[in-house]
Amino acid sequence: MTENEKGISQAVIGRLPRYFRYLGELKEEGVERISSQDLSELMKVTASQIRQDFNNFGGFGQQGYGYNVEYLYKEIGKILGLDRTHNFVIVGSGNLGRALGNYLNFEKRGFLLKGMFDQNPELIGSTVRGVTVMPMEKLESFVRENNIEIAVLTLPKTSAVKVADILAASGIKAIWNFAHVDLNIPDHIQVENVHLSDSLMKLSYNLTRNCKERED
Amino acid sequence: MTENEKGISQAVIGRLPRYFRYLGELKEEGVERISSQDLSELMKVTASQIRQDFNNFGGFGQQGYGYNVEYLYKEIGKILGLDRTHNFVIVGSGNLGRALGNYLNFEKRGFLLKGMFDQNPELIGSTVRGVTVMPMEKLESFVRENNIEIAVLTLPKTSAVKVADILAASGIKAIWNFAHVDLNIPDHIQVENVHLSDSLMKLSYNLTRNCKERED
């Protein structure tokens, strides 16, 4: 990590996956170079924002000549930690857990599903892409013994808090939290929340305001 | 809508659902009043941020005496458009679509599942909570004839772009987009993106940086 990379804002980091996605598409289309102006029009952000964002990581090459798509894709991938694999488990094997377990794109990016867990006896023993659902009692030792970095929490909020404590004790490094609750765990564990209800309510707000504005 | 409510930043709006969630929990616990200081400690944001956020909507009552939890919960609910129902359809009835269709909390908040759609003949005719999966050909007329406000897109990105155009033509008001692509549709349609891969990559970034920092 360069000195520059320390203290980069979460807003910038939040935009990196989108750059990565667009660059991946350009690469697939055979585009070799792109100017910040063209990338700006494609992604609907200002060229100056793109340059500012990239400057956090050293700039990625000359502006006048444009960016090398493949190089930029690879470099952003490295920054995002996609140049190596990450083992993960899914805790909560209901509909959402199974949906995420079946999502092949995660594997393509190096996220390897190693285990699934649930407390429901009807789900234990069933499989998702060849991975068997195990009882919750096995979670702590499984994480400890299988070099699991990430746990995906797709559980009701009441059990999520308890399970997060178990995961913290087992040495997990990151939690991708879909439970509708903010977790209270040690700071060295990275947490990324996906609160689906919050997102739906935000949509509802914008929908409601938009309709009212049009009525005015 | 008061004059004040115009031009409220998406950052503020993005925080409203979280206030709503915490206030709902306080209400369930029987708490009647809460100071911005106590709410601040609970939610781990500054009291000044809370006051600033609330001032966008007129402030919600005296600071010294604390906020009335039930009143605040109800008012924020109204702002979020949760004081009325919203009909929605799910387009793409695979694992993720079914997971969202089964999520009862949405109904509790007034979001009513009216239809599900897919192009896979094996899924057409199956049901989710009593709602039958219909073929895609019926989508446009169904949205038009059933006062559908929101469409949830849980489709591969290749079909999502085409379906978004159909939805735009059918008069949809909002799209909750889970497809891994940015939609290009008229501005009067509200779009809220949930790009799960982007969220996972952000987690991966923070995980990777954190590990490197600890190695330093």
PDB file of all heavy atoms in Angstrom, chain A residues 113-127:
ATOM      1  N   LEU A 113     -17.381 -19.935  -2.209  1.00  0.00           N
ATOM      2  CA  LEU A 113     -18.334 -20.417  -1.203  1.00  0.00           C
ATOM      3  C   LEU A 113     -17.829 -21.731  -0.617  1.00  0.00           C
ATOM      4  O   LEU A 113     -17.700 -22.726  -1.314  1.00  0.00           O
ATOM      5  CB  LEU A 113     -19.720 -20.616  -1.847  1.00  0.00           C
ATOM      6  CG  LEU A 113     -20.802 -21.204  -0.935  1.00  0.00           C
ATOM      7  CD1 LEU A 113     -21.111 -20.263   0.221  1.00  0.00           C
ATOM      8  CD2 LEU A 113     -22.079 -21.497  -1.728  1.00  0.00           C
ATOM      9  N   LYS A 114     -17.535 -21.736   0.702  1.00  0.00           N
ATOM     10  CA  LYS A 114     -16.962 -22.923   1.336  1.00  0.00           C
ATOM     11  C   LYS A 114     -17.946 -23.618   2.266  1.00  0.00           C
ATOM     12  O   LYS A 114     -17.794 -24.804   2.547  1.00  0.00           O
ATOM     13  CB  LYS A 114     -15.714 -22.520   2.138  1.00  0.00           C
ATOM     14  CG  LYS A 114     -14.557 -22.056   1.285  1.00  0.00           C
ATOM     15  CD  LYS A 114     -14.016 -23.202   0.436  1.00  0.00           C
ATOM     16  CE  LYS A 114     -12.883 -22.746  -0.463  1.00  0.00           C
ATOM     17  NZ  LYS A 114     -12.364 -23.852  -1.292  1.00  0.00           N
ATOM     18  N   GLY A 115     -18.936 -22.893   2.764  1.00  0.00           N
ATOM     19  CA  GLY A 115     -19.882 -23.533   3.686  1.00  0.00           C
ATOM     20  C   GLY A 115     -21.158 -22.739   3.799  1.00  0.00           C
ATOM     21  O   GLY A 115     -21.175 -21.521   3.591  1.00  0.00           O
ATOM     22  N   MET A 116     -22.258 -23.463   4.118  1.00  0.00           N
ATOM     23  CA  MET A 116     -23.526 -22.794   4.388  1.00  0.00           C
ATOM     24  C   MET A 116     -24.040 -23.319   5.723  1.00  0.00           C
ATOM     25  O   MET A 116     -23.821 -24.470   6.074  1.00  0.00           O
ATOM     26  CB  MET A 116     -24.539 -23.080   3.277  1.00  0.00           C
ATOM     27  CG  MET A 116     -24.055 -22.532   1.942  1.00  0.00           C
ATOM     28  SD  MET A 116     -25.358 -22.255   0.707  1.00  0.00           S
ATOM     29  CE  MET A 116     -26.571 -21.298   1.553  1.00  0.00           C
ATOM     30  N   PHE A 117     -24.746 -22.466   6.460  1.00  0.00           N
ATOM     31  CA  PHE A 117     -25.199 -22.826   7.800  1.00  0.00           C
ATOM     32  C   PHE A 117     -26.653 -22.413   7.997  1.00  0.00           C
ATOM     33  O   PHE A 117     -27.121 -21.435   7.421  1.00  0.00           O
ATOM     34  CB  PHE A 117     -24.313 -22.145   8.856  1.00  0.00           C
ATOM     35  CG  PHE A 117     -22.902 -22.644   8.824  1.00  0.00           C
ATOM     36  CD1 PHE A 117     -21.972 -22.082   7.950  1.00  0.00           C
ATOM     37  CD2 PHE A 117     -22.507 -23.711   9.617  1.00  0.00           C
ATOM     38  CE1 PHE A 117     -20.678 -22.562   7.884  1.00  0.00           C
ATOM     39  CE2 PHE A 117     -21.213 -24.203   9.560  1.00  0.00           C
ATOM     40  CZ  PHE A 117     -20.294 -23.614   8.693  1.00  0.00           C
ATOM     41  N   ASP A 118     -27.339 -23.187   8.847  1.00  0.00           N
ATOM     42  CA  ASP A 118     -28.690 -22.805   9.235  1.00  0.00           C
ATOM     43  C   ASP A 118     -29.030 -23.562  10.516  1.00  0.00           C
ATOM     44  O   ASP A 118     -28.397 -24.551  10.859  1.00  0.00           O
ATOM     45  CB  ASP A 118     -29.713 -23.120   8.143  1.00  0.00           C
ATOM     46  CG  ASP A 118     -30.914 -22.165   8.202  1.00  0.00           C
ATOM     47  OD1 ASP A 118     -31.775 -22.342   9.093  1.00  0.00           O
ATOM     48  OD2 ASP A 118     -30.960 -21.230   7.384  1.00  0.00           O
ATOM     49  N   GLN A 119     -30.050 -23.057  11.231  1.00  0.00           N
ATOM     50  CA  GLN A 119     -30.482 -23.785  12.422  1.00  0.00           C
ATOM     51  C   GLN A 119     -31.735 -24.612  12.161  1.00  0.00           C
ATOM     52  O   GLN A 119     -32.155 -25.404  12.993  1.00  0.00           O
ATOM     53  CB  GLN A 119     -30.721 -22.838  13.600  1.00  0.00           C
ATOM     54  CG  GLN A 119     -31.737 -21.744  13.337  1.00  0.00           C
ATOM     55  CD  GLN A 119     -31.864 -20.790  14.507  1.00  0.00           C
ATOM     56  OE1 GLN A 119     -31.182 -20.956  15.526  1.00  0.00           O
ATOM     57  NE2 GLN A 119     -32.718 -19.788  14.378  1.00  0.00           N
ATOM     58  N   ASN A 120     -32.325 -24.423  10.972  1.00  0.00           N
ATOM     59  CA  ASN A 120     -33.544 -25.146  10.624  1.00  0.00           C
ATOM     60  C   ASN A 120     -33.210 -26.576  10.179  1.00  0.00           C
ATOM     61  O   ASN A 120     -32.534 -26.768   9.158  1.00  0.00           O
ATOM     62  CB  ASN A 120     -34.249 -24.385   9.493  1.00  0.00           C
ATOM     63  CG  ASN A 120     -35.539 -25.059   9.063  1.00  0.00           C
ATOM     64  OD1 ASN A 120     -35.831 -26.186   9.441  1.00  0.00           O
ATOM     65  ND2 ASN A 120     -36.310 -24.345   8.244  1.00  0.00           N
ATOM     66  N   PRO A 121     -33.671 -27.610  10.951  1.00  0.00           N
ATOM     67  CA  PRO A 121     -33.337 -29.001  10.629  1.00  0.00           C
ATOM     68  C   PRO A 121     -33.756 -29.386   9.205  1.00  0.00           C
ATOM     69  O   PRO A 121     -33.123 -30.246   8.586  1.00  0.00           O
ATOM     70  CB  PRO A 121     -34.145 -29.808  11.647  1.00  0.00           C
ATOM     71  CG  PRO A 121     -34.563 -28.863  12.706  1.00  0.00           C
ATOM     72  CD  PRO A 121     -34.577 -27.502  12.105  1.00  0.00           C
ATOM     73  N   GLU A 122     -34.789 -28.724   8.682  1.00  0.00           N
ATOM     74  CA  GLU A 122     -35.247 -29.067   7.330  1.00  0.00           C
ATOM     75  C   GLU A 122     -34.255 -28.630   6.254  1.00  0.00           C
ATOM     76  O   GLU A 122     -34.249 -29.168   5.157  1.00  0.00           O
ATOM     77  CB  GLU A 122     -36.609 -28.410   7.053  1.00  0.00           C
ATOM     78  CG  GLU A 122     -37.745 -29.132   7.750  1.00  0.00           C
ATOM     79  CD  GLU A 122     -39.089 -28.466   7.512  1.00  0.00           C
ATOM     80  OE1 GLU A 122     -39.262 -27.855   6.439  1.00  0.00           O
ATOM     81  OE2 GLU A 122     -39.944 -28.545   8.400  1.00  0.00           O
ATOM     82  N   LEU A 123     -33.445 -27.627   6.570  1.00  0.00           N
ATOM     83  CA  LEU A 123     -32.480 -27.136   5.581  1.00  0.00           C
ATOM     84  C   LEU A 123     -31.121 -27.829   5.717  1.00  0.00           C
ATOM     85  O   LEU A 123     -30.390 -27.970   4.739  1.00  0.00           O
ATOM     86  CB  LEU A 123     -32.306 -25.618   5.723  1.00  0.00           C
ATOM     87  CG  LEU A 123     -33.526 -24.772   5.327  1.00  0.00           C
ATOM     88  CD1 LEU A 123     -33.274 -23.297   5.629  1.00  0.00           C
ATOM     89  CD2 LEU A 123     -33.857 -24.949   3.843  1.00  0.00           C
ATOM     90  N   ILE A 124     -30.804 -28.259   6.949  1.00  0.00           N
ATOM     91  CA  ILE A 124     -29.505 -28.896   7.189  1.00  0.00           C
ATOM     92  C   ILE A 124     -29.401 -30.161   6.341  1.00  0.00           C
ATOM     93  O   ILE A 124     -30.321 -30.968   6.313  1.00  0.00           O
ATOM     94  CB  ILE A 124     -29.319 -29.207   8.695  1.00  0.00           C
ATOM     95  CG1 ILE A 124     -29.246 -27.892   9.476  1.00  0.00           C
ATOM     96  CG2 ILE A 124     -28.076 -30.052   8.946  1.00  0.00           C
ATOM     97  CD1 ILE A 124     -29.412 -28.044  10.975  1.00  0.00           C
ATOM     98  N   GLY A 125     -28.285 -30.301   5.635  1.00  0.00           N
ATOM     99  CA  GLY A 125     -28.081 -31.459   4.775  1.00  0.00           C
ATOM    100  C   GLY A 125     -28.441 -31.185   3.324  1.00  0.00           C
ATOM    101  O   GLY A 125     -27.986 -31.908   2.430  1.00  0.00           O
ATOM    102  N   SER A 126     -29.257 -30.149   3.059  1.00  0.00           N
ATOM    103  CA  SER A 126     -29.542 -29.795   1.665  1.00  0.00           C
ATOM    104  C   SER A 126     -28.301 -29.132   1.071  1.00  0.00           C
ATOM    105  O   SER A 126     -27.386 -28.747   1.811  1.00  0.00           O
ATOM    106  CB  SER A 126     -30.748 -28.858   1.587  1.00  0.00           C
ATOM    107  OG  SER A 126     -30.422 -27.604   2.152  1.00  0.00           O
ATOM    108  N   THR A 127     -28.249 -29.013  -0.252  1.00  0.00           N
ATOM    109  CA  THR A 127     -27.034 -28.464  -0.856  1.00  0.00           C
ATOM    110  C   THR A 127     -27.336 -27.273  -1.766  1.00  0.00           C
ATOM    111  O   THR A 127     -28.420 -27.150  -2.311  1.00  0.00           O
ATOM    112  CB  THR A 127     -26.291 -29.523  -1.706  1.00  0.00           C
ATOM    113  OG1 THR A 127     -27.173 -29.963  -2.740  1.00  0.00           O
ATOM    114  CG2 THR A 127     -25.848 -30.701  -0.865  1.00  0.00           C
TER     115      THR A 127
END
